[in-house]
């Protein structure tokens, strides 16, 4: 089953966590000094926030899938639509290990489709994504 993903860059993690806790009526599933993530069932969303020195606001949106096969299907659809994708395998980002396929839609919005295989102890690196698409984040 797929889950909508949104990543928002915030100026202050503690204030943002308090706001989203109140909005969702639930604490985040992951909390770090520079990052928090809610895995909600209603609505079915993976909302991540971070204070990683990017412009504040919506950084990117995406679709999280439950298997590598689902990710392959989504990436194939994007390529068939004529969009250029940037694929990453076994990358570490947002304190998780994932395979990803990135694309920019017709309005310039960055989309991340991804399958997460496990947790990571570090935020990860996103220089490669930024070099290919400066507005993209790693999560």
């Amino acid at each position: 089953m797929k889950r909508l993903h949104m990543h928002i860059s915030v100026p202050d993690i503690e204030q943002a966590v308090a706001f989203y806790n109140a909005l969702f009526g639930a604490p985040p599933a992951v909390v770090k000094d520079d990052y928090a993530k809610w895995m909600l069932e209603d609505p079915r969303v993976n909302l991540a926030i971070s204070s990683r020195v990017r412009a504040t606001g919506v950084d990117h949106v995406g679709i999280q899938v439950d298997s590598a096969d689902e990710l392959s299907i989504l990436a194939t659809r994007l390529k068939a639509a004529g969009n250029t994708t940037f694929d990453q395998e076994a990358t570490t980002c947002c304190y998780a290990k994932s395979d990803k396929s990135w694309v920019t839609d017709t309005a310039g919005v960055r989309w991340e489709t991804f399958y997460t295989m496990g947790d990571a102890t570090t935020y990860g690196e996103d220089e490669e994504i930024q070099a290919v698409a400066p507005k993209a984040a790693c999560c």
Side-chain angles (χ1 to χ4, degrees), residues 61-83:
V61 293
I63 299 173
Q64 181 177 8
V65 298
D66 291 332
S67 72
D69 289 340
E70 282 184 303
L71 178 59
S72 177
I73 290 167
L74 280 178
T76 299
R77 286 184 198 162
L78 295 172
K79 289 174 177 78
N83 294 13

Side-chain angles (χ1 to χ4, degrees), residues 5-139:
H5 167 65
M6 292 183 64
H7 186 107
I8 300 171
S9 294
V10 299
D12 185 296
I13 283 289
E14 289 181 19
Q15 288 179 342
V17 167
F19 173 82
Y20 288 109
N21 280 348
L23 176 64
F24 298 134
V30 176
V31 179
K32 305 290 183 181
D33 290 341
D34 58 352
Y35 177 83
K37 176 174 69 176
W38 288 259
M39 295 292 285
L40 303 170
E41 293 302 321
D42 184 18
R44 189 161 167 76
V45 66
N46 166 343
L47 176 76
I49 62 174
S50 68
S51 59
R52 303 281 302 171
V53 252
R54 289 193 255 287
T56 57
V58 176
D59 189 78
H60 65 275
V61 293
I63 299 173
Q64 181 177 8
V65 298
D66 291 332
S67 72
D69 289 340
E70 282 184 303
L71 178 59
S72 177
I73 290 167
L74 280 178
T76 299
R77 286 184 198 162
L78 295 172
K79 289 174 177 78
N83 294 13
T84 301
T85 60
F86 176 73
D87 300 325
Q88 294 179 299
E89 293 183 4
T91 189
T92 298
C93 185
C94 299
Y95 299 97
K97 296 176 184 175
S98 304
D99 288 342
K100 303 174 181 232
S101 185
W102 290 88
V103 70
T104 302
D105 74 8
T106 58
V109 176
R110 294 288 301 162
W111 279 82
E112 170 190 32
T113 56
F114 63 102
Y115 166 59
T116 298
M117 300 160 289
D119 295 333
T121 58
T122 62
Y123 187 87
E125 300 298 327
D126 60 344
E127 289 83 10
E128 187 175 355
I129 290 288
Q130 290 182 6
V132 172
K135 291 186 177 182
C138 76
C139 305

